[in-house]
CSV table of all heavy atoms in Angstrom, one decimal:
chain,number,residue,atom,x,y,z
B,114,ALA,N,28.7,-44.4,37.2
B,114,ALA,CA,27.8,-43.2,37.1
B,114,ALA,C,27.0,-43.1,38.4
B,114,ALA,O,26.7,-42.0,38.9
B,114,ALA,CB,26.9,-43.3,35.9
B,115,ASN,N,26.6,-44.2,39.0
B,115,ASN,CA,25.9,-44.2,40.2
B,115,ASN,C,26.7,-43.6,41.3
B,115,ASN,O,26.2,-42.8,42.1
B,115,ASN,CB,25.4,-45.6,40.6
B,115,ASN,CG,24.0,-45.9,40.2
B,115,ASN,OD1,23.1,-45.6,40.9
B,115,ASN,ND2,23.9,-46.5,39.0
B,116,ILE,N,28.0,-44.0,41.4
B,116,ILE,CA,28.8,-43.5,42.5
B,116,ILE,C,29.2,-42.0,42.2
B,116,ILE,O,29.3,-41.2,43.1
B,116,ILE,CB,30.1,-44.3,42.6
B,116,ILE,CG1,29.7,-45.7,43.0
B,116,ILE,CG2,31.1,-43.7,43.6
B,116,ILE,CD1,30.9,-46.7,42.9
B,117,GLU,N,29.3,-41.7,40.9
B,117,GLU,CA,29.7,-40.3,40.6
B,117,GLU,C,28.5,-39.3,40.8
B,117,GLU,O,28.8,-38.1,40.9
B,117,GLU,CB,30.0,-40.2,39.1
B,117,GLU,CG,31.5,-40.6,38.8
B,117,GLU,CD,31.9,-40.3,37.4
B,117,GLU,OE1,31.0,-40.5,36.5
B,117,GLU,OE2,33.0,-39.8,37.2
B,118,PHE,N,27.3,-39.8,40.9
B,118,PHE,CA,26.2,-38.9,41.0
B,118,PHE,C,26.3,-37.8,42.1
B,118,PHE,O,26.3,-36.6,41.8
B,118,PHE,CB,24.9,-39.7,41.2
B,118,PHE,CG,23.7,-38.8,41.4
B,118,PHE,CD1,23.0,-38.3,40.3
B,118,PHE,CD2,23.2,-38.5,42.6
B,118,PHE,CE1,21.9,-37.5,40.4
B,118,PHE,CE2,22.0,-37.7,42.8
B,118,PHE,CZ,21.4,-37.2,41.7
B,119,GLY,N,26.6,-38.2,43.3
B,119,GLY,CA,26.7,-37.3,44.4
B,119,GLY,C,27.9,-36.4,44.3
B,119,GLY,O,27.9,-35.3,44.7
B,120,LEU,N,29.0,-37.0,43.7
B,120,LEU,CA,30.2,-36.2,43.5
B,120,LEU,C,30.0,-35.1,42.5
B,120,LEU,O,30.5,-33.9,42.7
B,120,LEU,CB,31.4,-37.1,43.1
B,120,LEU,CG,31.7,-38.2,44.1
B,120,LEU,CD1,32.7,-39.2,43.4
B,120,LEU,CD2,32.4,-37.6,45.3
B,121,LYS,N,29.3,-35.4,41.4
B,121,LYS,CA,29.0,-34.4,40.4
B,121,LYS,C,28.2,-33.2,41.0
B,121,LYS,O,28.4,-32.1,40.7
B,121,LYS,CB,28.3,-35.0,39.2
B,121,LYS,CG,29.2,-35.7,38.2
B,121,LYS,CD,28.4,-36.2,37.1
B,121,LYS,CE,29.3,-36.9,36.1
B,121,LYS,NZ,28.6,-37.6,35.0
B,122,ILE,N,27.2,-33.6,41.8
B,122,ILE,CA,26.3,-32.6,42.4
B,122,ILE,C,27.2,-31.7,43.3
B,122,ILE,O,26.9,-30.5,43.3
B,122,ILE,CB,25.3,-33.3,43.3
B,122,ILE,CG1,24.1,-33.8,42.4
B,122,ILE,CG2,24.7,-32.5,44.4
B,122,ILE,CD1,23.1,-34.6,43.0
B,123,ARG,N,28.2,-32.2,43.9
B,123,ARG,CA,29.1,-31.4,44.8
B,123,ARG,C,30.2,-30.7,44.0
B,123,ARG,O,31.1,-30.2,44.5
B,123,ARG,CB,29.7,-32.3,45.9
B,123,ARG,CG,28.6,-32.6,46.9
B,123,ARG,CD,29.1,-33.8,47.8
B,123,ARG,NE,28.1,-34.1,48.8
B,123,ARG,CZ,27.0,-34.7,48.7
B,123,ARG,NH1,26.6,-35.2,47.5
B,123,ARG,NH2,26.1,-35.0,49.7
B,124,LYS,N,30.1,-30.8,42.6
B,124,LYS,CA,31.0,-30.2,41.7
B,124,LYS,C,32.5,-30.6,41.9
B,124,LYS,O,33.4,-29.8,41.9
B,124,LYS,CB,30.9,-28.7,41.8
B,124,LYS,CG,29.5,-28.2,41.4
B,124,LYS,CD,29.5,-26.7,41.3
B,124,LYS,CE,28.2,-26.1,40.6
B,124,LYS,NZ,27.0,-26.6,41.1
B,125,ILE,N,32.7,-31.9,42.2
B,125,ILE,CA,34.0,-32.5,42.3
B,125,ILE,C,34.6,-32.7,40.9
B,125,ILE,O,33.9,-33.2,40.0
B,125,ILE,CB,34.0,-33.8,43.1
B,125,ILE,CG1,33.2,-33.7,44.4
B,125,ILE,CG2,35.4,-34.4,43.3
B,125,ILE,CD1,33.9,-32.9,45.5
Side-chain angles (χ1 to χ4, degrees):
Chain B
N115 264 275
I116 298 172
E117 276 191 320
F118 178 81
L120 298 168
K121 279 183 178 172
I122 278 173
R123 287 162 178 78
K124 297 187 167 50
I125 307 292

